[in-house]
Amino acid sequence: MTSIIITGGAGFIGSHVVRLFVNKYPEYRIINVDKLTYAGNLANLKDIEDKPNYRFVKADICDFDTIYALMQEEHVTGVIHLAAESHVDRSIKDPFTFARTNVLGTLSMLQAAKLYWESLPEKYEGKRFYHISTDEVYGALELTHPEGVTPPFTTKASSAHHEAYGEEFFLETTKYNPHSPYSASKASSDHFVRAFHDTYGMPTIVTNCSNNYGPYQFPEKLIPLFINNIRHRKPLPVYGKGENVRDWLYVEDHARAIDLIFHKGTIAETYNIGGFNEWKNIDIIKVVINTVDRLLGRQEGEDMDLITYVTDRAGHDLRYAIDSRKLQAELGWEPSLQFEEGIEKTVRWYLDNQAWMDNITSGEYEKYYEDMYAERPSCD
């Protein structure tokens, strides 16, 4: 029986991956391992919590003994490793937590899988360790066309790269050059995954993905934070002039890519996953404002005056841009949604699920927000 541990499955991306695998593969056993830190929320998975092929285990990925025992108990054949600390601002404030979870936690998962799989008669045959990483490990790209650029509203993955902001893109072979404690911790974890393949022959795959957006994202990140702030007419803090450029991908398209790569990707390969969808922060903020205003019955653009420019983040990378053509050419994946569709679905979801948002932004989370955003706004 295929038995898969998905780490971080109560988080934003992880919950979409868990839901996809539980519903699409009823013959699989899906074990969701999550520590349930502030960003983990089992309410994200209420619709599948009673499925017979699903199990939730509250555990810390750094707890090697627990993870190794779970591997043995569930006869695990695959790992999809998403659990990570991921907020750059928090990594600047507390780099130790990021090193522990992202580096030592990944090492714990790798070692537990290695020891269990090597104890079996077939060893690594039919096994797979899939590690999800970020485009931030590559560093930053130049913004060579900073002025007078129209946002790429209709860019599709099947078309040539949109070169509005620059001609250079992150490839799978791009040299690592992390600039924040977060990206440094993810770069280190990537190296450990590849080292376990090269040293022990473990069947590993690494993917590096661009910024995700969509339902169930914890509201410390740009889009859900700003949707909620617009709803309550609170300030929208923007770093610098909002000129930083990011490539955006709808989360369900990322989940589909993970499914495809887990089943058909080549062992020891790296695949970049991106949306072919670059936006300056300030442009995406204006789209979010217009969309929220329209769906709330306000005059479109009415809340533009909520934008508040603040001192830029330390070491803030100017531009990320993923080249996904390898994944497209080898496995046939491309994003299913253009950005206008994705942002419309996303805003509608948050407005239709205000109870979910209110539950998070009240009580114990409220104090967290006060501490986090008093001086550190979220801009990606």
Side-chain angles (χ1 to χ4, degrees):
M1 181 180 183
T2 298
S3 181
I4 302 170
I5 283 180
I6 300 178
T7 67
F12 169 43
I13 300 172
S15 63
H16 286 275
V17 176
V18 167
R19 180 179 293 102
L20 174 63
F21 273 70
V22 167
N23 288 330
K24 185 175 179 179
Y25 302 106
E27 72 277 17
Y28 287 8
R29 174 79 166 161
I30 303 300
I31 305 100
N32 173 11
V33 175
D34 199 297
K35 187 180 177 182
L36 294 183
T37 59
Y38 75 94
N41 188 350
L42 289 178
N44 297 354
L45 293 165
K46 290 290 290 183
D47 56 317
I48 58 106
E49 64 183 3
D50 295 325
K51 296 276 188 174
N53 62 331
Y54 171 70
R55 176 189 178 189
F56 170 71
V57 176
K58 184 179 180 180
D60 185 344
I61 59 172
C62 293
D63 182 351
F64 171 81
D65 291 338
T66 295
I67 297 299
Y68 183 54
L70 185 62
M71 293 267 183
Q72 297 173 302
E73 177 188 350
E74 291 286 357
H75 307 290
V76 170
T77 57
V79 174
I80 300 177
H81 180 41
L82 291 121
E85 295 283 351
S86 66
H87 195 260
V88 176
D89 287 341
R90 297 183 72 247
S91 80
I92 294 170
K93 186 176 181 179
D94 180 17
F96 285 99
T97 295
F98 282 68
R100 179 184 183 275
T101 299
N102 297 353
V103 183
L104 295 180
T106 298
L107 181 57
S108 173
M109 294 299 305
L110 285 164
Q111 184 72 353
K114 170 187 174 294
L115 292 181
Y116 172 59
W117 291 340
E118 286 186 345
S119 73
L120 302 175
E122 72 276 15
K123 297 190 182 299
Y124 290 132
E125 182 181 350
K127 310 301 189 298
R128 185 157 295 200
F129 190 105
Y130 179 178
H131 174 66
I132 285 82
S133 188
T134 172
D135 57 359
E136 296 194 36
V137 298
Y138 296 125
L141 297 170
E142 292 296 318
L143 184 60
T144 56
H145 306 305
E147 302 297 335
V149 171
T150 301
F153 295 111
T154 58
T155 302
K156 291 184 177 180
S158 57
S159 60
H161 271 116
H162 195 286
E163 297 182 354
Y165 301 111
E167 290 78 23
E168 188 180 2
F169 297 85
F170 293 139
L171 303 171
E172 286 82 0
T173 54
T174 297
K175 181 180 178 181
Y176 275 27
N177 186 26
H179 292 154
S180 71
Y182 162 59
S183 56
S185 69
K186 290 299 290 185
S188 178
S189 67
D190 295 1
H191 291 319
F192 267 108
V193 173
R194 295 188 178 104
F196 265 63
H197 173 267
D198 294 346
T199 304
Y200 308 112
M202 180 180 283
T204 64
I205 291 178
V206 175
T207 56
N208 300 87
C209 191
S210 60
N211 280 29
N212 282 214
Y213 70 98
Y216 298 109
Q217 187 169 28
F218 191 80
E220 67 183 355
K221 298 298 180 80
L222 175 77
I223 290 177
L225 172 66
F226 279 26
I227 292 171
N228 197 47
N229 282 13
I230 296 164
R231 173 188 161 209
H232 294 291
R233 289 199 159 105
K234 293 181 178 181
L236 307 177
V238 179
Y239 282 128
K241 296 180 180 179
E243 295 290 313
N244 303 74
V245 174
R246 298 294 182 261
D247 177 22
W248 292 87
L249 178 67
Y250 191 65
V251 64
E252 291 181 3
D253 282 331
H254 188 189
R256 288 193 306 105
I258 290 171
D259 175 23
L260 184 63
I261 293 166
F262 180 79
H263 288 96
K264 297 184 178 179
T266 301
I267 295 299
E269 286 292 332
T270 298
Y271 296 93
N272 280 347
I273 309 172
F276 294 84
N277 184 45
E278 291 182 64
W279 286 75
K280 288 182 183 178
N281 282 342
I282 191 60
D283 290 331
I284 201 170
I285 289 164
K286 290 176 180 177
V287 171
V288 171
I289 292 171
N290 285 333
T291 306
V292 174
D293 281 348
R294 173 169 48 81
L295 294 179
L296 287 178
R298 301 173 185 171
Q299 183 177 348
E300 195 164 300
E302 178 179 339
D303 289 309
M304 289 292 176
D305 60 351
L306 295 176
I307 294 174
T308 305
Y309 294 97
V310 298
T311 303
D312 207 352
R313 168 197 285 162
H316 199 181
D317 292 334
L318 187 58
R319 174 176 174 250
Y320 303 146
I322 281 281
D323 187 327
S324 298
R325 287 178 292 181
K326 174 180 175 179
L327 176 58
Q328 186 178 22
E330 292 189 11
L331 299 180
W333 174 90
E334 64 177 34
S336 65
L337 291 180
Q338 295 183 27
F339 188 73
E340 315 107 300
E341 301 172 273
I343 201 66
E344 182 86 10
K345 288 183 66 173
T346 299
V347 171
R348 284 187 181 277
W349 187 89
Y350 284 103
L351 295 181
D352 289 343
N353 290 272
Q354 292 181 9
W356 180 91
M357 178 70 80
D358 291 343
N359 182 60
I360 290 176
T361 56
S362 63
E364 62 184 81
Y365 285 114
E366 196 168 60
K367 178 63 166 58
Y368 166 80
Y369 274 136
E370 290 173 357
D371 293 343
M372 177 56 58
Y373 294 117
E375 298 180 357
R376 290 183 175 84
S378 175
C379 281
D380 57 352

